[in-house]
Amino acid sequence: MDPKDIKHLNPKLAPGASDPIETVPEPELHPGDDPLDKIAEVHTRVLDTIAGFEKLSEKAEPEFKPVADAFLTTHQKHEAELAGYLRKMGRDPNDDGSFFGAVNSSLIEIRSWFEDVTADVMDRVKEGEKHVFEAYEQARDTGQTIEANAMLSYHMEQLNALLRAHAV
């Protein structure tokens, strides 16, 4: 392409252009703001949530079991997608979750000794999902790739749809 053609398309890019190209400064990253670290945090929280829903599904009364299973299946699908993305980007995803996952599972076990696991637990489910959503939002707001943002947004939409479908 002839340099004169470039000047007609975008004068700022033409050789010898007097105005420098305006650039938007890169956002300043602080410790813990690495976009992949944020996705890894989402992955850990999803693993923790899976541990809770595995126990919830196990202890659920028959009328609530399909709800618990729907959340469990969705989180398992999301975990696999998050882990796959992290691997693709050269990260080794955590397979164990955090201490919170073990606590979550234990709390559900203990509650099941004293009360039936029915739709009455949906308020606690919503609180747990809020913890996951916070991680998704933080990850999405930390300069992700288009691919990562699409995945994160899609996961959030699916979780919102589940919460709306099973609102009490």
Side-chain angles (χ1 to χ4, degrees):
M1 179 178 273
D2 189 289
K4 289 183 234 167
D5 294 333
I6 294 173
K7 185 174 182 176
H8 293 306
L9 294 173
N10 189 339
K12 291 183 180 182
L13 295 178
S18 59
D19 294 333
I21 298 173
E22 290 182 37
T23 59
V24 177
E26 289 286 322
E28 186 178 325
L29 289 180
H30 302 286
D33 280 352
D34 180 325
L36 287 178
D37 288 347
K38 296 295 185 180
I39 291 178
E41 175 62 24
V42 173
H43 182 255
T44 298
R45 289 190 193 188
V46 169
L47 282 171
D48 292 345
T49 303
I50 287 170
F53 275 109
E54 285 173 340
K55 185 57 75 174
L56 191 65
S57 178
E58 176 188 319
K59 298 295 182 178
E61 295 297 316
E63 69 274 5
F64 187 68
K65 186 163 176 41
V67 174
D69 288 346
F71 277 92
L72 175 60
T73 300
T74 299
H75 282 298
Q76 288 171 329
K77 180 178 175 268
H78 292 173
E79 183 278 327
E81 291 171 2
L82 290 162
Y85 182 79
L86 288 168
R87 280 188 200 93
K88 178 179 167 182
M89 301 306 289
R91 294 286 185 96
D92 186 21
N94 176 0
D95 292 331
D96 301 327
S98 70
F99 179 70
F100 182 73
V103 169
N104 196 10
S105 182
S106 298
L107 286 174
I108 292 167
E109 176 72 34
I110 292 167
R111 284 184 183 142
S112 74
W113 297 342
F114 303 104
E115 61 185 73
D116 293 335
V117 178
T118 63
D120 294 339
V121 301
M122 278 308 293
D123 286 339
R124 288 185 285 258
V125 167
K126 288 177 195 171
E127 283 302 310
E129 293 301 320
K130 196 187 308 185
H131 182 67
V132 174
F133 269 96
E134 288 169 358
Y136 270 107
E137 287 172 342
Q138 289 172 3
R140 193 186 56 196
D141 295 342
T142 311
Q144 298 295 337
T145 64
I146 292 170
E147 178 186 4
N149 268 335
M151 174 184 63
L152 297 168
S153 294
Y154 183 64
H155 289 185
M156 292 172 74
E157 287 173 25
Q158 288 185 315
L159 293 175
N160 271 322
L162 269 177
L163 286 168
R164 280 191 308 272
H166 301 292
V168 256

